[in-house]
Amino acid sequence: MEKKTVFSGIQPSGELHLGNYYGAIQNWVRLQDRFDCVYCIVDYHAVTGRTGRESDKFQDPRHESLATMSVQMAGDLMACGIDPRRSILFVQSHVPEHTELAWVFSCVASHGDLTRMIQFKDKADRSDYVSVGLFIYPVLQAADILLYRAAKVPVGEDQVQHLELARRIGRRFNTLVGEEYFPEVEAELTAGKRIMSLADPAHKMSKSLGDKHYVGLMEEPDAIWKKVRSAVTDSGEQVGGEMSPGVANLFEILRLTGAVDDVVDGFKAQHAAGKIRYGDLKTAVQDHIMRVLDPIRERRSRMSDDEIRDTLAAGAARASEIAKATMAGVRARVGVGPPPR
RNA sequence: AGGCCAGUAGCUCCAAUUGGUAGAGCGCCGGACUCCAAAUCCGGGGGUUGGGGGUUCGAAUCCCUCCUGGCCUGCCA
């Protein structure tokens, strides 16, 4: 029996961090065993964050180009265990059918639905310039997914609304053409606790919060140690009380990075007894983070940009095959394209 | 399409005595204190005043123009 297709995308937004790794990427790696996976570096999505301000000009030298960042991202993903021989790894803009299908979908999607997207409302409120692209973002996302007739899309909580829209768009397209052209997409909610910011454990780890809030996968050990050492804890005075969010986060990182039960239990017992030394806990956390990151950094350092570019070209070729077929079917059903003889 | 108002540090600003050295709070960076942090204290960096042009010895301030946002009116007759 044929394996189902999984699609997922990530913006080439620079360096991956621990939150990305345990929130998404590690899951991507595992899914490769059970599904045909299509992993896409969505550079056109990243363009929505690059308009408006003077500092966001496309050619501004203060920004790396998205092309450069896409290559970096691909390298990082492979270092994390995305295997381009098993999965299709490519860059969105290398397969133009994404934007082509997005146009068709923008004629299928409901304006009202789009105005209800909380992520749009959120970002629009915080921007001084709101492009149509930002508004249409979920439509392009729907195109990304359905272009490969994906059955499953691993998403975080914040993306379920967009995925629901993709389902609606697919269904409506099917209704319009009178056949089940696009399969029903299923969200695969990525479970598990999220890693929180080190400096502000009330928020999920994110680069946008600031430098000291996240641990980059490719960062130097001493840079990481500086961040781990300065992570928020508590005054440690309530014996046996609730664990503070910052401390709980450190325990979570310890667990995720594969600390053996003895180590975790030992610290837990000390914490319960009110005798824990957070300095020691942090040393252990650092130690385990580096155990995970060292081999990743090592693999990454052995890759050349040329090698990555070749891999992405091959990935784009494989993706194109599927995308072209889907798009040909769409054109035929919409009634555009070269006339049939 | 026209009219009116607005844009000052990463963020928030009725700071800038009305043409004379660009400020505050928060955040950020460094230090002290902490087992590590937080809080607190001490210190520090940071802005082509939305962009461009002009007037002037001198412009955040006056003029022109463009950009972005908001409000009002019109257009489609």
Side-chain angles (χ1 to χ4, degrees):
Chain A
M1 176 176 152
E2 217 172 79
K3 285 186 198 166
K4 285 184 175 173
T5 297
V6 161
F7 179 94
S8 201
I10 188 166
Q11 287 196 24
S13 52
E15 194 183 20
L16 289 169
H17 56 71
L18 269 190
N20 297 137
Y21 183 71
Y22 287 109
I25 307 305
Q26 198 184 46
N27 189 37
W28 285 19
V29 173
R30 290 180 182 144
L31 287 167
Q32 296 181 116
D33 298 333
R34 291 154 47 218
F35 301 99
D36 287 327
C37 296
V38 180
Y39 293 133
C40 183
I41 295 163
V42 289
D43 53 351
Y44 268 136
H45 282 289
V47 175
T48 59
R50 280 283 188 92
T51 49
R53 291 194 173 191
E54 195 64 14
S55 61
D56 282 331
K57 281 187 175 166
F58 293 139
Q59 300 301 330
D60 195 297
R62 282 169 289 188
H63 293 294
E64 295 277 10
S65 78
L66 287 172
T68 305
M69 288 170 87
S70 295
V71 172
Q72 284 170 1
M73 177 61 75
D76 290 358
L77 290 173
M78 287 190 272
C80 288
I82 302 300
D83 179 358
R85 287 163 305 187
R86 285 198 288 167
S87 305
I88 299 178
L89 177 65
F90 72 107
V91 178
Q92 186 183 33
S93 67
H94 300 185
V95 180
E97 281 78 8
H98 285 256
T99 45
E100 190 180 356
L101 183 57
W103 172 256
V104 175
F105 280 178
S106 75
C107 299
V108 171
S110 144
H111 177 274
D113 279 353
L114 253 28
T115 60
R116 275 169 232 125
M117 295 295 121
I118 46 171
Q119 204 173 73
F120 169 74
K121 287 196 279 189
D122 225 50
K123 283 195 179 172
D125 285 347
R126 284 185 282 113
S127 316
D128 31 332
Y129 183 93
V130 180
S131 71
V132 175
L134 184 66
F135 185 61
I136 294 296
Y137 187 110
V139 175
L140 179 57
Q141 198 177 340
D144 296 335
I145 296 162
L146 293 178
L147 199 49
Y148 301 93
R149 302 165 174 286
K152 281 178 180 293
V153 178
V155 288
E157 187 71 40
D158 54 334
Q159 288 298 312
V160 290
Q161 197 188 22
H162 286 178
L163 197 82
E164 187 50 42
L165 183 79
R167 293 156 64 89
R168 288 170 67 85
I169 290 173
R171 266 185 233 136
R172 184 162 150 78
F173 182 91
N174 290 346
T175 306
L176 289 171
V177 301
E179 77 184 274
E180 291 295 301
Y181 188 66
F182 289 114
E184 195 83 354
V185 197
E186 233 177 84
E188 174 147 299
L189 215 71
T190 330
K193 286 181 211 154
R194 296 185 281 194
I195 293 190
M196 308 309 275
S197 153
L198 294 176
D200 183 2
H203 296 100
K204 161 172 105 156
M205 183 177 281
S206 151
K207 283 187 16 178
S208 57
L209 289 173
D211 197 55
K212 62 181 184 179
H213 292 262
Y214 69 95
V215 174
L217 295 191
M218 305 302 161
E219 277 189 274
E220 292 300 319
D222 48 336
I224 295 177
W225 173 234
K226 207 174 154 191
K227 295 180 181 183
V228 171
R229 176 169 37 104
S230 65
V232 171
T233 59
D234 58 48
S235 307
E237 277 152 9
Q238 342 90 312
V239 175
E242 270 291 289
M243 200 178 274
S244 71
V247 175
N249 193 37
L250 290 174
F251 271 101
E252 179 64 9
I253 294 173
L254 204 57
R255 188 183 68 78
L256 285 169
T257 50
V260 290
D261 291 346
D262 288 0
V263 175
V264 180
D265 290 346
F267 279 116
K268 280 208 171 134
Q270 287 177 33
H271 180 270
K275 284 197 279 197
I276 191 165
R277 292 173 64 87
Y278 292 132
D280 296 344
L281 176 65
K282 286 176 175 178
T283 305
V285 167
Q286 168 75 7
D287 189 47
H288 284 84
I289 287 176
M290 291 325 299
R291 256 186 245 181
V292 171
L293 295 192
D294 278 340
I296 292 177
R297 282 201 4 248
E298 217 274 314
R299 277 197 295 278
R300 184 66 177 85
S301 69
R302 285 202 305 260
M303 290 178 215
S304 75
D305 282 1
D306 281 344
E307 209 180 311
I308 298 168
R309 272 189 267 268
D310 288 345
T311 304
L312 286 175
R318 288 170 68 193
S320 276
E321 249 182 78
I322 304 169
K324 279 184 175 147
T326 305
M327 203 53 224
V330 169
R331 279 190 220 102
R333 282 161 181 79
V334 171
V336 297
R341 310 219 170 169

